[in-house]
Amino acid sequence: MAAKAEAGLFDSIFLADQLALGDDIVSGPRTGLEPVTMLAALATGTKRIGLIATASTTYTEPFNLARQFASIDHISGGRVGWNIVTSWLATAAGNYGGDKPVSHADRYARGEEFMTVVKALWESWAEDAILDDRAAGVYARPGAIKRIDHQGDFYQVAGPLNVPRGPQGRPVLVQAGSSETGRDFAARHAEAIFTAQMEKATAQTFYKDLKARVTAAGRSVDQALILPGLSPLIAGTEAEAARLADELGTLTDPEVGRKRMSARFGGHDFSHLPLDKPLSVEDFPDPETIQAARSRTEVIVGLVRREKPTLRELLAMLAGARGHHVFAGTPEQVADLMVDWFEDGAADGFNIMPPILPSMLEIFTAEVVPILRARGLFRSEYEGETLRDHYGLNQP
Ligand SMILES: Cc1cc2nc3c(=O)[nH]c(=O)nc-3n(C[C@H](O)[C@H](O)[C@H](O)COP(=O)(O)O)c2cc1C
């Protein structure tokens, strides 16, 4: 997939991650290799494409994470990115000595200190720390590598990092929280923000709000890119695309969907809800009370409020892209949608989630990318070496 995306001149590929096995494993291959380990392999199999892996601030040691991402930055020649998650999945706690899930607020409080520590570790080597003067027998410039001596509520870390500064200085920082707390966190730290938006209007509202928070945090808006998810089902005609969407819909199992939605609501029991009766907001807990994927529950309840779908219809909408925008149409129509969101303040780019792999990645690259290029909106070759170059991000 990475090679296909690189052939399509994508900016990057992104690997999601969860820290516990879902209880719906019987119905699908819901496992994956550990993303950072996978990135090392992909770094040697690709040359230019950016490589983004998910890692948790709640269940990882900052010194280890800083070391891993600096190492991949060296191995990849400056192409690494880190999707910063606080790990909303309640069952993850059990794999890290916890008897109960960490609250939303505590996850973000720990995450904030985590960011302070890892940024200081990546900065612990000055840009010109390495002299490597063999004749003089001096490798590092004295005083150019510093301890960080961090003493905080959650972490005590002496530093310095024992891996030299990476080609990008530090990984590109990606984040995908959309709650109030999540947005403020993104405004302070994120250089790319993934978000789930089921329609253009909510995407525009999110875009405007997030850019305003970035400015309020004293950062420049072009250094915080917003990339909504888009799951394009592409066919030669609209009718064929619609037929494919229906066929995919028939292949989903609503009982698996019910379980997965329950997980997003922190384990809330939806087993009593009939599949074919229109839903109302009262059928759901208030998203403000959700400790798990709070903003995703806001997306779901918002949809129910607007469209009053039956449970079967809601689960079918969530099945393919879990709350991200799903679109079925011709290559022209997919390109039109992307250009419309891009030019109308809803997106700086897109997190492409091909609903069928590898075919929908191949069709997107072969059919949609050339249209975007012909409209002067997509590269015809990689200009830079690093992910920061691809995204147009400054070197820290
Ligand atoms: C595109 C996208 C990808 C995400 N990937 C992951 C992931 O790999 N692992 C994870 O634990 N959470 C992932 N999340 C969830 C977010 O990190 C976050 O927990 C969730 O959006 C809830 O945000 P909130 O806490 O601000 O409400 C992802 C969210 C989005 C929009």
Side-chain angles (χ1 to χ4, degrees):
M1 295 311 142
K4 288 177 193 304
E6 186 167 65
L9 301 179
F10 275 56
D11 292 87
S12 49
I13 62 160
F14 154 68
L15 300 176
D17 190 39
Q18 291 297 347
L19 296 174
L21 187 64
D23 57 10
D24 51 8
I25 186 69
V26 290
S27 64
R30 299 197 204 290
T31 65
L33 298 177
E34 193 280 319
V36 178
T37 312
M38 170 76 95
L39 238 55
L42 297 176
T44 57
T46 56
K47 292 192 175 41
R48 308 297 282 280
I49 195 164
L51 306 167
I52 304 173
T54 295
S56 174
T57 55
T58 302
Y59 301 115
T60 313
E61 276 298 327
F63 189 86
N64 293 344
L65 184 140
R67 212 159 158 250
Q68 288 172 313
F69 279 89
S71 301
I72 305 262
D73 206 32
H74 284 288
I75 295 167
S76 66
R79 296 186 281 134
V80 81
W82 168 34
N83 176 36
I84 309 161
V85 300
T86 65
S87 302
W88 57 267
L89 192 63
T91 48
N95 291 329
Y96 295 87
D99 52 8
K100 60 182 182 30
V102 183
S103 74
H104 193 264
D106 285 355
R107 292 202 314 268
Y108 275 101
R110 179 183 279 264
E112 193 57 39
E113 189 180 322
F114 195 106
M115 296 311 294
T116 304
V117 176
V118 289
K119 284 182 175 179
L121 286 170
W122 285 315
E123 290 300 320
S124 63
W125 288 58
E127 270 177 294
D128 59 357
I130 298 176
L131 295 178
D132 198 14
D133 181 344
R134 311 279 167 102
V138 179
Y139 175 71
R141 188 164 58 75
I145 303 169
K146 294 200 171 65
R147 297 169 58 91
I148 71 167
D149 292 322
H150 175 87
Q151 295 293 329
D153 299 340
F154 301 103
Y155 304 107
Q156 291 71 43
V157 180
L161 194 64
N162 61 348
V163 174
R165 188 187 183 91
Q168 295 187 108
R170 64 169 183 239
V172 168
L173 300 178
V174 177
Q175 191 262 9
S178 304
S179 62
E180 276 300 310
T181 323
R183 293 177 192 209
D184 287 339
F185 185 99
R188 286 190 295 276
H189 301 294
E191 294 168 302
I193 296 129
F194 295 160
T195 181
Q197 303 292 337
M198 294 193 91
E199 52 179 59
K200 182 183 170 188
T202 60
Q204 287 173 314
T205 309
F206 177 83
Y207 188 98
K208 202 152 163 272
D209 176 80
L210 219 290
K211 294 283 185 176
R213 290 174 195 242
V214 167
T215 305
R219 298 176 57 209
S220 143
V221 291
D222 66 354
Q223 294 298 304
L225 306 172
I226 296 176
L227 288 82
L230 172 64
S231 185
L233 195 62
I234 311 162
T237 64
E238 211 172 324
E240 173 57 12
R243 191 197 63 70
L244 264 177
D246 290 347
E247 185 187 342
L248 265 180
T250 61
L251 295 172
T252 61
D253 174 345
E255 290 318 318
V256 171
R258 195 195 293 262
K259 273 202 198 123
R260 293 177 65 80
M261 186 166 75
S262 164
R264 288 203 185 277
F265 283 83
H268 181 83
D269 180 5
F270 292 106
S271 59
H272 61 288
L273 291 178
L275 276 172
D276 297 308
K277 179 171 158 287
L279 291 166
S280 76
V281 173
E282 285 66 46
D283 293 320
F284 295 83
D286 173 0
E288 275 312 308
T289 64
I290 298 298
Q291 298 301 320
R294 183 170 294 171
S295 55
R296 198 61 58 86
T297 62
E298 286 160 357
V299 169
I300 295 169
V301 174
L303 176 79
V304 169
R305 184 177 296 111
R306 284 193 306 276
E307 300 177 22
K308 300 187 178 29
T310 65
L311 180 59
R312 188 185 303 278
E313 287 163 345
L314 173 65
L315 295 176
M317 287 181 222
L318 295 175
R322 308 178 302 284
H324 293 270
H325 193 74
V326 176
F327 181 81
T330 65
E332 230 19 88
Q333 289 174 321
V334 173
D336 289 348
L337 178 144
M338 294 173 74
V339 174
D340 176 40
W341 284 41
F342 177 67
E343 292 182 343
D344 205 9
D348 295 317
F350 297 87
N351 206 346
I352 301 298
M353 312 159 76
I356 309 171
L357 285 172
S359 57
M360 284 300 157
L361 173 58
E362 291 160 348
I363 294 170
F364 180 89
T365 303
E367 308 278 345
V368 180
V369 169
I371 299 171
L372 297 173
R373 193 171 292 137
R375 297 188 192 177
L377 289 172
F378 196 67
R379 65 171 60 83
S380 45
E381 61 175 345
Y382 283 114
E383 302 88 4
E385 304 291 322
T386 70
L387 179 52
R388 285 184 182 284
D389 295 337
H390 301 338
Y391 277 2
L393 295 171
N394 303 337
Q395 192 79 2

